[in-house]
């Protein structure tokens, strides 16, 4: 066994207590071996002055949308997608998706994220980038029926399933997959009825957008005579490994249905605020026993991939929406970004304890904005930033060491991404 000792820090335990502890990792199995006083490891990561916490889980993202960061702001979802985003995405090449995803991966690793769920196009490129980066991911080819004839729409579903079957378990098991219909209003009932059973037969979960805006609830009720998540249930889309993004406009009956079925919700507070979609009923979900995770959504609606921002936004928006300062407390925000995310994605991580995957973020607390430390959990939710992460470890490998990304040439990734983003927008605007 080759070991990595994360030494001399304080550890955030699954019960949210914090003690001075080392963490010993088996580099071959990629698992945590011990938490406490441990003997020297083969390699040591210095965590003095730091908090060792579970790696963060970004449970809903469109990674390559980093290329569209700041391209189209200040519009609501429907206009933003139809007027700006979809016309540019029609010009995306496989290489664009590769470099945009690499840029996202640099940002994720820098800010302590060790796992993410991605729904996009050219997913073979995303999978290659994830394999190189060393993180974990739940990947799915996103299916959109809007603007497609029957054959093209069917081919899109086939591609989502083919990708899911081929790549599940890739990168030594770090990559898992999903079938990813975009949403309940952008994919036809007929094709969902045909392809959801195929996803079940393939043993892959389903990841989709649902109840994001008020405008997408009424058409479902008018067309199908029931609330969107009752319709999703009829289609077999509320499995216990499935997860839906947003869930802003869910009513009490839908919250109860999610709890009964065991389907997780990914809360995306920054995207919901920026697109003015609303505030998800996070306290009601959690009280009902629904697993709630956090996601950034794409960088074009956020505009970063920093889950520390998301924790703060989740806590602040939850309090503001409920007019109750205790509605989403610090611990709830941290739990959603760690254990909640891991559970939603079906990953054995999100908790620093022996036997779990060694997916860890080491956060440097020796900073003015983190002084004094009355309560480390408070700092994680309200005061820390992604840039405070000193080391990121995933599957026992060090992806960020002393603030340096070890898995990519960061300067080259940034330069390529900037070039591709400029060329992509130029192509779209010349159309
Ligand atoms: C079919 S791949 C994913 C698809 O989703 C688009 N997208 C990005 N952000 C959102 C959002 O908040 N709601 C719905 N759809 C979104 C993305 O641009 C891709 O086209
Ligand atoms: Zn999304």
């Amino acid at each position: 066994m080759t070991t990595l000792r994360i030494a001399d820090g304080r550890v955030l335990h699954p019960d949210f207590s914090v003690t001075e502890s080392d963490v010993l990792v088996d580099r071959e199995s990629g698992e945590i071996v011990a938490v406490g006083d441990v003997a020297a490891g083969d390699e040591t990561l210095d965590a003095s002055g730091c908090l060792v916490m579970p790696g963060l889980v970004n449970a809903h993202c469109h990674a390559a949308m980093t290329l569209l960061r700041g391209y189209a702001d200040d519009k609501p979802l429907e206009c933003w997608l139809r007027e700006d985003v979809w016309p540019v995405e029609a010009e995306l090449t496989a290489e664009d998706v590769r470099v945009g995803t690499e840029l996202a991966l640099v940002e994720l690793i820098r800010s302590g994220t060790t796992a993410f769920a991605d729904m996009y196009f050219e997913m073979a490129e995303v999978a290659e980038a994830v394999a190189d980066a060393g993180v974990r991911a739940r990947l799915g080819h996103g299916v959109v029926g809007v603007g497609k004839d029957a054959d093209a729409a069917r081919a899109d579903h086939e591609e989502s399933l083919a990708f899911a079957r081929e790549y599940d378990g890739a990168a030594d098991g770090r990559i898992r997959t999903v079938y990813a219909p975009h949403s309940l209003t952008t994919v036809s009932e007929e094709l969902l009825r045909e392809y959801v059973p195929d996803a079940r037969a393939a043993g892959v979960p389903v990841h989709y957008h649902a109840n994001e805006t008020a405008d997408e609830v009424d058409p479902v009720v008018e067309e199908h005579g029931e609330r969107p998540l009752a319709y999703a249930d009829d289609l077999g889309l509320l499995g216990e490994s499935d997860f839906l993004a947003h869930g802003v406009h869910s009513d009490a009956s839908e919250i109860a249905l999610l709890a009964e079925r065991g389907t997780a919700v990914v809360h995306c507070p920054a995207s919901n605020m920026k697109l003015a979609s609303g505030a998800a009923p996070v306290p009601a979900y959690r009280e009902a026993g629904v697993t709630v995770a956090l996601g950034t959504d794409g960088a074009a609606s956020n505009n970063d991939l920093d889950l520390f921002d998301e924790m703060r936004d989740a806590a602040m928006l939850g309090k503001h929406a409920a007019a109750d300062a205790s509605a989403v407390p610090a611990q709830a925000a941290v739990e959603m970004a760690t254990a909640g995310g891991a559970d939603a994605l079906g990953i054995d991580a999100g908790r620093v304890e022996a036997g779990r995957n060694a997916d860890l973020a080491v956060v440097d607390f020796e900073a003015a904005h983190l002084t004094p430390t009355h309560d480390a959990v408070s700092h994680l939710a309200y005061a820390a930033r992604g840039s405070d992460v000193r080391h990121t470890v995933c599957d026992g490998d060090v992806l960020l060491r002393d603030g340096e990304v070890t898995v990519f040439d960061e300067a080259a990734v940034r330069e390529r991404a900037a070039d591709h983003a400029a060329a992509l927008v130029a192509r779209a605007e010349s159309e």
Side-chain angles (χ1 to χ4, degrees), residues 26-241:
D26 176 353
R27 302 207 54 177
E28 274 117 44
S29 70
E31 286 178 6
I32 298 170
V33 180
V35 180
D37 278 333
V38 301
D42 298 303
E43 190 191 337
T44 301
L45 272 185
D46 175 30
S48 54
C50 295
L51 184 75
V52 183
M53 68 177 295
L56 296 163
V57 179
N58 188 342
H60 179 70
C61 192
H62 312 284
M65 290 187 84
T66 50
L67 296 189
L68 300 180
R69 192 195 319 267
Y71 170 70
D73 297 318
D74 310 328
K75 289 187 178 183
L77 177 68
E78 186 79 9
C79 302
W80 177 75
L81 284 175
R82 287 177 191 268
E83 293 169 10
D84 301 298
V85 173
W86 283 342
V88 186
E89 286 180 338
E91 299 295 325
L92 276 171
T93 65
E95 211 185 333
D96 290 334
V97 171
R98 178 59 170 264
V99 298
T101 303
E102 288 183 357
L103 181 64
L105 286 162
V106 166
E107 195 179 347
L108 293 169
I109 290 167
R110 280 206 152 280
S111 51
T113 296
T114 51
F116 72 113
D118 204 51
M119 176 203 289
Y120 214 52
F121 315 104
E122 304 290 355
M123 293 304 292
E125 298 293 333
V126 177
E128 296 297 328
V130 167
D132 290 350
V135 299
R136 283 178 215 285
R138 267 277 173 199
L139 305 179
H141 168 88
V143 178
V144 184
V146 179
K148 293 197 173 101
D149 65 22
D151 286 349
R154 184 173 294 280
D156 214 10
H157 288 268
E158 294 285 353
E159 185 171 352
S160 193
L161 280 164
F163 173 82
R165 289 192 193 100
E166 182 177 345
Y167 283 88
D168 201 31
D172 295 326
R174 283 186 288 106
I175 293 177
R176 303 302 310 274
T177 58
V178 288
Y179 164 60
H182 176 257
S183 80
L184 300 172
T185 53
T186 53
V187 177
S188 80
E189 176 178 2
E190 183 197 348
L191 292 179
L192 284 171
R193 288 209 185 275
E194 186 173 335
Y195 286 101
V196 172
D198 289 350
R200 299 295 168 224
V204 294
V206 190
H207 174 194
Y208 55 104
H209 298 87
N211 282 352
E212 180 174 358
T213 66
D215 289 349
E216 70 189 66
V217 173
D218 289 349
V220 176
V221 174
E222 273 157 32
E223 194 177 339
H224 305 286
E226 54 189 349
R227 295 281 309 176
L229 297 188
Y231 169 59
D233 193 37
D234 285 348
L235 293 170
L237 284 169
L238 295 188
E240 64 181 0
S241 305

Side-chain angles (χ1 to χ4, degrees), residues 305-397:
L305 305 181
D306 181 346
L307 274 174
F308 286 90
D309 277 359
E310 228 55 45
M311 288 192 272
R312 182 179 157 100
D313 286 346
M316 299 296 188
L317 177 61
K319 295 171 199 308
H320 178 72
D324 173 2
S326 70
V328 180
Q331 186 173 313
V334 177
E335 208 252 345
M336 290 188 281
T338 54
D343 292 349
L345 269 49
I347 289 171
D348 188 16
R351 296 143 180 108
V352 184
E353 61 187 359
R356 300 271 185 196
N357 285 318
D359 297 359
L360 303 163
V362 181
V363 186
D364 191 347
F365 270 44
E366 290 188 335
H369 62 281
L370 299 175
T371 304
T373 305
H374 295 298
D375 178 345
V377 175
S378 165
H379 277 4
L380 293 178
Y382 297 125
R385 305 165 188 152
S387 53
D388 295 319
V389 174
R390 185 190 291 179
H391 314 296
T392 301
V393 175
C394 184
D395 205 25
D397 290 330

Side-chain angles (χ1 to χ4, degrees), residues 268-278 301 312-314 316-317:
C268 303
S271 173
N272 295 159
M273 288 191 281
K274 183 162 186 262
L275 301 172
S277 302
S301 60
R312 182 179 157 100
D313 286 346
M316 299 296 188
L317 177 61

